[in-house]
Amino acid sequence: MTGRPRTRTEAPPPGGRVALVTGGAVRVGRAITLALADAGFDVVVGYHGSAEAAREVVAEVEGRGRRAHSVRADLATSAGAKALAEAATTAWGRLDLLVNNASTFLATPFDEIGEEEWDQVMAVNLRAPFLLIQATAAALAASRGSVVNIVDLSALRPWARYPHHSVSKAALAHLTRVAARSLAPRVRVNAVAPGSVLPEEDATPEDIRAAAARIPLGGWGSPEDVARAVLFLDRSPFMTGEVIVVDGGAHGAS
């Protein structure tokens, strides 16, 4: 663990709530972490390889007047997922929101995917969210909390360039619905499916322009658009089992 909370042994301030964000140090996860801090959450930031980014986002959260600490966990292993859940539920004695954001994103032709790579993607993108939901369910029920799973448009339409990723996200969307039924009424479970909100690191200018041209609202969104959807679901007590699409209208466009 890094980024030791300033008052680790104390209960959260009156009305204070606690969130766990997996992959919460970089990209969309970072935006979600900071939005939750601005909304009054203390945040446990799960990360794997982004130690420096995790330290930086913890410092930003603390600079905004909330408590934070980071926990390194390898979500490709069941032990890593369970250890992260335990750290999050014991950090400040409660848990109000689980955001399953961590994900792998591998582009491998269908006929070249080996069993090991398939299992790796499914472990991080699907098994880890399942184990985290299962392990935090009691704490979330005690606080009448909720889960938000981050999927993407591949959950709704097949992406042939990312076969195993697409299958894992479609399964995570269905897990959202199954868990919502299983954990109701004390825990709500929803998902957000972002579209083009942040280019991949290897995206070319042509890739970015082509994607923007397919978006009815005329351009790319932002990670903050996803964070706002997460906050909306947290604040919507009569919503469960839903997948909110945040893509500028791309999914419904012909």
Side-chain angles (χ1 to χ4, degrees):
M1 296 184 186
T2 61
R4 182 180 57 83
R6 295 169 179 165
T7 54
R8 178 69 180 274
T9 60
E10 299 175 7
R17 302 172 70 209
V18 178
L20 165 61
V21 183
T22 70
V26 296
R27 295 174 65 82
V28 171
R30 178 180 180 276
I32 294 170
T33 295
L34 295 178
L36 290 173
D38 287 340
F41 280 86
D42 298 316
V43 189
V44 177
V45 178
Y47 75 96
H48 183 217
S50 305
E52 180 59 30
R55 285 190 288 269
E56 290 174 358
V57 79
V58 163
E60 284 199 55
V61 171
E62 291 178 338
R64 298 176 187 213
R66 302 309 306 177
R67 298 176 297 182
H69 73 102
S70 57
V71 180
R72 185 183 184 278
D74 182 1
L75 296 183
T77 69
S78 58
K82 292 174 183 177
L84 178 57
E86 181 178 2
T89 53
T90 59
W92 292 295
R94 64 182 291 166
L95 187 67
D96 300 86
L97 178 64
L98 164 63
V99 182
N100 281 311
N101 167 74
S103 180
T104 66
F105 196 68
L106 301 176
T108 306
F110 186 90
D111 57 357
E112 295 179 14
I113 299 173
E115 290 183 24
E116 183 175 348
E117 183 175 312
W118 176 273
D119 289 345
Q120 171 86 4
V121 170
M122 293 300 160
V124 175
N125 292 7
L126 180 60
R127 185 180 67 191
F130 163 71
L131 291 174
L132 284 162
I133 294 170
Q134 191 178 60
T136 60
L140 291 170
S143 65
R144 288 282 180 166
S146 70
V147 178
V148 178
N149 296 318
I150 306 300
V151 296
D152 55 39
L153 296 187
S154 73
L156 308 176
R157 57 174 61 170
W159 287 359
R161 187 181 175 193
Y162 305 94
H164 36 4
H165 175 89
S166 185
V167 171
S168 71
K169 291 298 186 178
L172 182 56
H174 200 60
L175 175 63
T176 298
R177 302 180 186 100
V178 171
R181 291 288 187 93
S182 300
L183 300 180
R186 296 185 64 85
V187 179
R188 297 181 299 108
V189 186
N190 293 290
V192 177
S196 297
V197 298
L198 194 64
E200 289 302 307
E201 294 177 356
D202 61 351
T204 67
E206 291 74 20
D207 293 334
I208 295 171
R209 285 193 294 270
R214 295 191 293 269
I215 300 171
L217 287 185
W220 284 67
S222 70
E224 288 71 27
D225 290 314
V226 182
R228 280 189 285 269
V230 171
L231 287 171
F232 169 76
L233 289 170
D234 171 68
R235 295 165 177 168
S236 301
F238 201 54
M239 290 185 68
T240 196
E242 295 297 329
V243 179
I244 293 182
V245 179
V246 181
D247 71 346
H251 175 64
S254 59

